[in-house]
Amino acid sequence: MTLATAISPDETVADAEEDFRRAQRRILLRRRLLPFAGVAIFLGIWAALVYLFKVPPFVAPTPLLVAQTLVSKGDVLLANLVPTAIEALSGFFLGNLVAIVIATAFVHKKTLEETFFPTVVLINTIPVVAKAPILVLLLGNGMEPKIAIAALICFFPTLVNMVRGLEAVNPQAMELMRVLSASKSEVFFKLRLFNSLPYLFSALKISASTSVVGAIVGEWIGSNVGIGALIIQATYSFDSALLYATVIVASCFSMLFFVSVTMLERLIVRWQPSNAH
């Protein structure tokens, strides 16, 4: 009996499947370990530079000192994170909701898009640090201007992507809807909105990070609480360990927000290939 006849087809398929699963496990393990390795290398370089150049702690603390500050002042950091998170989330939902509504109006009324889109672009070109004082003067010194700044930052990317997604429908699919005498609402909900979801979530992932930035910038202009206010306080008191810890907390929240939107995209946009996320 030869080797070719000794090995059954079922065994060959089973071996191939096991090799495939083993390769997939290696790829998954690699994807999970490499980011941790990158962070470890970065922290090692940071600690080495501080040690070799004898950098004073008030200029650049060691990673260990920042970690100790995260633990010892965790309650202060979390207390200041709460208002920033509320402002960022509120601005995120408000800005994106308004952008979706306006994008829908632009797609259905081209005159509106031709009239107001240049104005939207002009407003977007104004730096956020210039918009912030104006909004503080208009809305006061509470949460409202911070929410408005976060909403403005989220608004433009979502508007542009949503308009593009609503317009980038398949011509053959649009013609089929016309042949079937579909109403405008049916075309919108069954074709345009469905087609725009990948574009929308691309913008939402950008907004997830920028809304946090907008809330922090708003707190720089005028606030006694929040991550932005804590950054200013730590800077002027030369508490670099607290400054770095505050930035890390803000970054972690922004990353968590981004991951949440990405997971929501995977639940809703199921027809996209996995490597497209």
Side-chain angles (χ1 to χ4, degrees):
M1 182 180 293
T2 63
L3 182 61
T5 57
I7 301 175
S8 66
D10 291 340
E11 291 176 346
T12 304
V13 172
D15 291 341
E17 290 178 347
E18 182 60 30
D19 290 340
F20 176 76
R21 285 193 292 267
R22 202 176 293 119
Q24 290 297 107
R25 285 195 294 268
R26 284 197 298 268
I27 292 173
L28 183 61
L29 185 63
R30 176 188 176 90
R31 287 179 177 174
R32 289 179 177 177
L33 290 181
L34 283 180
F36 289 103
V39 172
I41 292 171
F42 171 76
L43 292 176
I45 294 173
W46 174 6
L49 290 175
V50 172
Y51 176 78
L52 290 174
F53 291 100
K54 308 297 181 184
V55 181
F58 65 86
V59 175
T62 63
L64 180 59
L65 182 57
V66 175
Q68 291 172 345
T69 304
L70 283 169
V71 174
S72 63
K73 297 188 177 180
D75 54 342
V76 176
L77 292 167
L78 290 177
N80 283 275
L81 177 63
V82 170
T84 303
I86 293 173
E87 293 156 3
L89 290 169
S90 301
F92 175 85
F93 287 111
L94 177 62
N96 287 305
L97 178 62
V98 173
I100 292 169
V101 172
I102 293 178
T104 303
F106 280 178
V107 169
H108 287 92
K109 295 290 184 181
K110 283 297 178 183
T111 305
L112 288 176
E113 182 178 359
E114 293 169 357
T115 303
F116 293 106
F117 193 77
T119 305
V120 173
V121 175
L122 179 63
I123 294 173
N124 185 67
T125 59
I126 303 173
V128 64
V129 292
K131 297 174 188 172
I134 297 173
L135 291 172
V136 169
L137 288 174
L138 291 174
L139 301 175
N141 204 30
M143 280 191 174
E144 292 83 359
K146 288 81 172 179
I147 294 172
I149 295 166
L152 282 174
I153 290 180
C154 296
F155 172 79
F156 188 74
T158 302
L159 176 67
V160 172
N161 275 31
M162 195 65 183
V163 169
R164 184 182 176 189
L166 291 172
E167 290 180 340
V169 294
N170 189 305
Q172 287 78 18
M174 181 64 77
E175 185 63 28
L176 177 61
M177 296 293 281
R178 291 197 181 105
V179 169
L180 296 173
S181 300
S183 64
K184 280 189 175 182
S185 61
E186 289 174 330
V187 171
F188 177 77
F189 287 106
K190 295 183 179 180
L191 182 61
R192 290 188 184 276
L193 186 61
F194 183 83
N195 183 78
S196 69
L197 288 178
Y199 296 87
L200 174 61
F201 274 101
S202 296
L204 293 181
K205 286 187 282 188
I206 297 172
S207 299
S209 299
T210 56
S211 62
V212 180
V213 175
I216 291 174
V217 170
E219 290 168 350
W220 285 351
I221 303 303
S223 181
N224 295 322
V225 294
I227 292 295
L230 194 59
I231 288 174
I232 296 297
Q233 294 170 16
T235 301
Y236 284 109
S237 62
F238 294 97
D239 191 348
S240 62
L242 178 59
L243 174 62
Y244 279 55
T246 306
V247 171
I248 290 172
V249 168
S251 178
C252 288
F253 173 74
S254 182
M255 187 183 303
L256 180 63
F257 197 2
F258 178 89
V259 171
S260 300
V261 175
T262 303
M263 292 176 64
L264 184 62
E265 179 187 18
R266 290 180 178 176
L267 289 174
I268 295 176
V269 191
R270 292 179 174 271
W271 62 91
Q272 288 285 92
S274 58
N275 59 0
H277 293 286

